[in-house]
């Protein structure tokens, strides 16, 4: 059993290893010019320099913390806004018919328009940069959060609701003690989707013109011809996206653990 | 004399119909159901599947409303579900995100009773259903019988005026069912709860109840009420006595109509 898992793990590494070796070889031989694809060694050096500024290999040496902080703040704020609206509205439409019939059609109508399609009008409304980015992130992340919270709340087993009611739950306590906990798996899935989309729209917003942010570095580096500094922020965005997802999942696990501990 | 006032739970001419999709006429499920249940009495409602006995229980619990007729608990009209009429469902319906102890404390917390007292009360009933040592287990970690025992404790801990049970042992295997029947018999002996017990199992009804209301096929009507004469405390060996068999035959005849 464990041996089999080990084998499949190995198989999963073959393709990335081949790609890496090929990448290394083509850049080593100089078959592909460095201004199109930098060598992995060079990329790692620039990445470390971006983080620490040890050799100032590029004009961006040592600026990672400032750019990453700007990006993380935008994601946190945009995602926070999306969750602040998406969760309560989702739970309400999932349970209350009046809320569903008055809100749901409009939300789904707006949802049909791809998020990217909002970019030009957002630039007209909010100008290039900060607010536009926030608007795009919040708007795009709202939909999966809302839809999944609603789906989770509406599919709570009617028997659980009956159990709650006969044990003395009022309409409000039923919401907080039965419906929301029962809707949690779907809700967390929605939050994770929303967080992933937040990072995607963050990059879109930052590409359009902010001073600080990983997306801004990529666009700036493209104009200045630093191809490594286009790729390096991509890697850090991927890492930050993964870390933020782990933190999100972890905090819900922690919540469960806290619940388990609190009863002693 | 039986009067309205000493009835713990009273059902007065309850009728219920459902509209069927695509059909004009209504499906009559319950027809003029009337009975009353006295303090500490264990009454079974026995009927074939589809006779509307679960609908009846839902009406008694306040989950559904009757088209006409009234339900009263201790003289108060029933308007909706309440911990006064706690329910044990056919499936355990525990909250999967709470462990055994928190499931059992759930109703007490809503009553805003003193935390210490609640905890003590919970542990009494956890012990009563033999789940001590499993307080920290989540429902998914328990067997079906243990889950149903937790559901029983969750209802009993609220000290309901009437305990409503909707075929609570129907989905358990035979052995677990016997031990659950034993457990319920001893709990009833100890706490003397007023019980309404829905079942389609003649032996189970005879073994557990003081009185059996036999329901007809749809539309459900109470066709006969039988007083069960056996002494308490009872045990499973009762089912092999001759009196038991005679009564059982009589009830089966009545069920077949």
């Amino acid at each position: 059993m464990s041996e089999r898992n080990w084998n499949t793990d190995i198989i999963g590494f073959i393709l990335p290893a081949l790609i890496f070796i090929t990448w290394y070889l083509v850049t080593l031989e100089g078959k592909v010019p460095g201004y199109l694809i930098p060598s992995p060694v060079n990329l790692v050096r620039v990445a470390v320099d971006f983080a620490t500024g040890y050799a100032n290999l590029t004009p961006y040496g040592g600026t990672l913390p400032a750019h990453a902080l700007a990006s993380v703040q935008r994601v946190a704020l945009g995602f926070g806004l999306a969750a602040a609206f998406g969760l309560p509205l989702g739970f309400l439409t999932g349970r209350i018919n009046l809320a569903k019939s008055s809100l749901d059609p409009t939300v789904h109508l707006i949802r049909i328009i791809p998020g990217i399609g909002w970019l030009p009008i957002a630039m007209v409304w909010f100008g290039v940069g900060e607010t536009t980015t926030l608007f795009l992130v919040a708007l795009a992340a709202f939909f999966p959060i809302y839809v999944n919270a609603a789906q989770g709340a509406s599919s709570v087993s009617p028997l659980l609701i009956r159990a709650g009611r006969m044990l003395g739950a009022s309409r409000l306590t039923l919401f907080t003690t039965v419906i929301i906990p029962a809707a949690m798996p779907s809700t967390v899935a929605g939050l994770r989707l929303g967080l992933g989309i937040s990072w995607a729209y963050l990059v879109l917003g930052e590409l359009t013109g902010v001073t600080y942010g990983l997306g801004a570095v990529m666009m700036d580096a493209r104009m200045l011809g630093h191809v490594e500094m286009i790729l390096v922020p991509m890697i850090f965005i991927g890492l930050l996206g993964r870390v933020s997802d782990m933190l999100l999942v972890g905090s819900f696990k922690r919540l469960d653990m806290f619940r388990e501990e609190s009863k002693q | 004399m039986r009067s309205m006032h000493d009835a713990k739970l009273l059902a007065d001419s309850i009728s219920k119909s459902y509209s069927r999709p695509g059909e004009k006429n209504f499906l009559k499920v319950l027809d003029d159901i009337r009975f009353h249940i006295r303090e500490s009495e264990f009454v079974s409602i026995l009927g074939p599947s589809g006779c509307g006995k679960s609908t009846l229980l839902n009406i008694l619990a306040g989950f559904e409303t009757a088209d006409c007729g009234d339900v009263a608990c201790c003289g108060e009209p029933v308007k909706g579900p309440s911990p006064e009429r706690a329910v044990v469902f056919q499936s355990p319906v525990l909250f999967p995100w709470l462990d055994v102890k928190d499931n059992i404390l759930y109703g007490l917390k809503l009553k805003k009773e003193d935390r210490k007292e609640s905890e003590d009360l919970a542990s009494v009933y956890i012990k009563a259903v033999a789940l001590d040592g499993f307080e920290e287990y989540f429902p998914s970690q328990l067997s079906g019988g243990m889950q149903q025992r937790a559901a029983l404790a969750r209802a009993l801990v609220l000290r309901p005026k009437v305990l409503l049970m909707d075929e609570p042992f129907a989905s358990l295997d035979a052995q677990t069912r016997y031990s659950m029947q034993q457990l319920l018999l001893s709990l009833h002996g100890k706490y003397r709860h007023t019980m309404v017990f829905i079942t389609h199992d003649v032996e189970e009804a005879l073994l557990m109840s003081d009185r059996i209301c036999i329901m007809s096929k749809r539309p459900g009507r109470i066709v006969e009420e039988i007083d069960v004469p056996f002494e308490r405390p009872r045990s499973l060996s009762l089912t092999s006595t001759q009196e038991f068999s005679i009564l059982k035959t009589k009830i089966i005849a009545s069920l077949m109509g």
Side-chain angles (χ1 to χ4, degrees):
Chain A
M1 190 63 185
S2 60
E3 201 179 329
R4 233 181 100 183
N5 282 342
W6 195 73
N7 277 339
T8 45
D9 280 351
I10 289 288
I11 288 171
F13 279 109
I14 292 176
L15 189 59
L18 280 176
I19 291 171
F20 193 83
I21 291 165
T22 318
W23 175 22
Y24 182 76
L25 288 177
V26 283
T27 49
L28 192 72
E29 299 284 303
K31 288 204 172 96
V32 179
Y35 61 83
L36 284 184
I37 302 176
S39 80
V41 180
N42 200 20
L43 199 69
V44 169
R45 280 173 52 216
V46 169
V48 174
D49 180 57
F50 181 40
T52 62
Y54 76 101
N56 279 326
L57 297 173
T58 63
Y60 310 96
T63 59
L64 171 71
H67 290 296
L69 184 69
S71 292
V72 168
Q73 277 175 342
R74 286 185 193 111
V75 165
L77 198 56
F79 174 72
L81 274 171
F85 284 96
L87 292 177
L89 290 178
F91 289 140
L92 282 178
T93 43
R95 292 309 312 179
I96 298 166
N97 278 333
L98 182 67
K100 188 182 166 73
S101 44
S102 54
L103 200 63
D104 221 30
T106 315
V107 170
H108 284 281
L109 204 67
I110 299 171
R111 198 164 77 100
I112 299 171
I113 305 161
I116 301 172
W118 285 90
L119 179 62
I121 193 68
M123 288 165 89
V124 171
W125 288 342
F126 306 115
V128 174
E130 200 61 48
T131 319
T132 294
T133 309
L134 269 183
F135 171 78
L136 289 174
V137 169
L139 181 78
F142 169 81
F143 295 108
I145 295 173
Y146 166 89
V147 168
N148 283 279
Q151 159 72 24
S154 70
S155 54
V156 176
S157 151
L159 272 174
L160 282 179
I161 305 237
R162 282 186 172 181
R165 290 180 68 202
M166 72 89 183
L167 292 167
S170 64
R171 274 182 84 88
L172 189 69
T173 46
L174 202 61
F175 237 101
T176 53
T177 62
V178 177
I179 291 164
I180 292 175
M184 253 320 140
S186 169
T187 304
V188 173
L191 286 171
R192 292 181 70 182
L193 280 170
L195 187 58
I197 288 176
S198 293
W199 282 100
Y201 279 82
L202 170 88
V203 174
L204 175 71
E206 286 183 344
L207 290 180
T208 63
V210 287
T211 351
Y212 277 94
L214 293 167
V217 173
M218 288 158 68
M219 215 51 182
D220 199 54
R222 184 197 68 85
M223 285 190 289
L224 298 180
H226 293 286
V227 66
E228 297 92 346
M229 281 311 296
I230 302 176
L231 292 167
V232 166
M234 285 169 68
I235 296 167
F236 282 112
I237 286 167
L239 283 174
L240 285 173
R242 180 87 185 98
V243 168
S244 64
D245 182 61
M246 279 159 61
L247 285 175
L248 181 74
V249 173
S251 66
F252 279 99
K253 282 225 178 87
R254 175 83 49 103
L255 210 67
D256 269 345
M257 254 163 54
F258 174 70
R259 235 181 342 229
E260 273 172 58
E261 278 165 12
S262 68
K263 65 190 162 245
Q264 259 127 34
Chain B
M1 259 320 281
R2 290 168 179 175
S3 80
M4 299 255 303
H5 292 288
D6 58 32
K8 200 85 179 170
L9 188 68
L10 179 86
D12 190 17
S13 5
I14 290 174
S15 296
K16 178 84 180 171
S17 301
Y18 288 113
S19 56
R20 281 180 289 187
E23 280 185 53
K24 270 187 190 162
N25 53 335
F26 286 83
L27 181 71
K28 190 149 200 172
V29 195
L30 295 174
D31 183 19
D32 195 27
I33 300 276
R34 42 181 91 208
F35 59 76
H36 61 267
I37 291 154
R38 288 181 295 269
E39 175 90 52
S40 295
E41 200 177 17
F42 194 129
V43 175
S44 284
I45 297 182
L46 178 70
S49 34
C51 75
K53 52 192 192 302
S54 285
T55 304
L56 176 59
L57 186 118
N58 285 339
I59 291 170
L60 297 179
F63 297 137
E64 294 183 45
T65 49
D67 296 338
C68 56
D70 296 300
V71 181
C73 180
C74 301
E76 295 282 313
V78 164
K79 293 205 179 87
S82 151
E84 287 185 353
R85 283 162 284 109
V87 182
V88 177
F89 301 93
Q90 184 168 345
S91 54
V93 205
L94 298 167
F95 300 122
W97 56 90
L98 299 179
D99 67 6
V100 167
K101 192 175 168 194
D102 279 346
N103 263 291
I104 292 165
L105 278 170
Y106 179 88
L108 292 175
K109 278 184 182 162
L110 292 180
K111 275 190 176 177
K112 302 228 187 326
E113 286 188 13
D114 177 72
R115 193 178 167 96
K116 179 77 177 63
E117 274 174 44
S118 299
E119 300 242 340
D120 292 345
L121 200 61
S123 58
V124 167
Y125 282 95
I126 287 170
K127 210 162 261 159
V129 298
L131 278 177
D132 35 333
F134 293 95
E135 290 90 345
E136 315 279 304
Y137 282 60
F138 284 86
S140 58
Q141 298 169 298
L142 302 177
S143 70
M146 290 166 94
Q147 289 183 30
Q148 197 58 301
R149 264 153 43 206
L152 188 58
R154 174 177 75 172
L156 288 175
V157 80
L158 296 168
R159 287 151 299 165
K161 290 180 173 155
V162 182
L163 181 62
L164 304 170
M165 306 185 85
D166 186 7
E167 304 201 50
F169 311 142
S171 51
L172 301 174
D173 63 85
Q175 258 173 308
T176 314
R177 188 159 61 239
Y178 291 141
S179 66
M180 289 296 286
Q181 290 168 349
Q182 243 4 305
L183 174 73
L184 193 59
L185 276 177
S186 75
L187 286 173
H188 182 246
K190 198 163 158 192
Y191 299 107
R192 309 296 296 168
H193 285 101
T194 310
M195 304 246 200
V196 179
F197 190 93
I198 306 274
T199 184
H200 63 260
D201 183 332
V202 180
E203 277 200 17
E204 185 171 69
L206 266 174
L207 178 65
M208 312 295 289
S209 343
D210 301 311
R211 193 149 51 91
I212 300 175
C213 298
I214 300 173
M215 277 178 78
S216 64
K217 281 195 207 100
R218 208 165 37 226
R221 258 175 286 119
I222 292 184
V223 288
E224 199 174 352
E225 286 191 28
I226 290 179
D227 285 308
V228 182
F230 309 121
E231 287 286 305
R232 289 182 190 270
R234 297 174 189 168
S235 73
L236 265 178
S237 58
L238 179 68
T239 56
S240 50
T241 61
Q242 207 187 352
E243 295 97 308
F244 193 92
S245 311
I246 292 168
L247 214 45
K248 185 178 164 184
T249 317
K250 187 183 159 199
I251 290 172
I252 291 171
S254 180
L255 271 174
M256 306 293 268

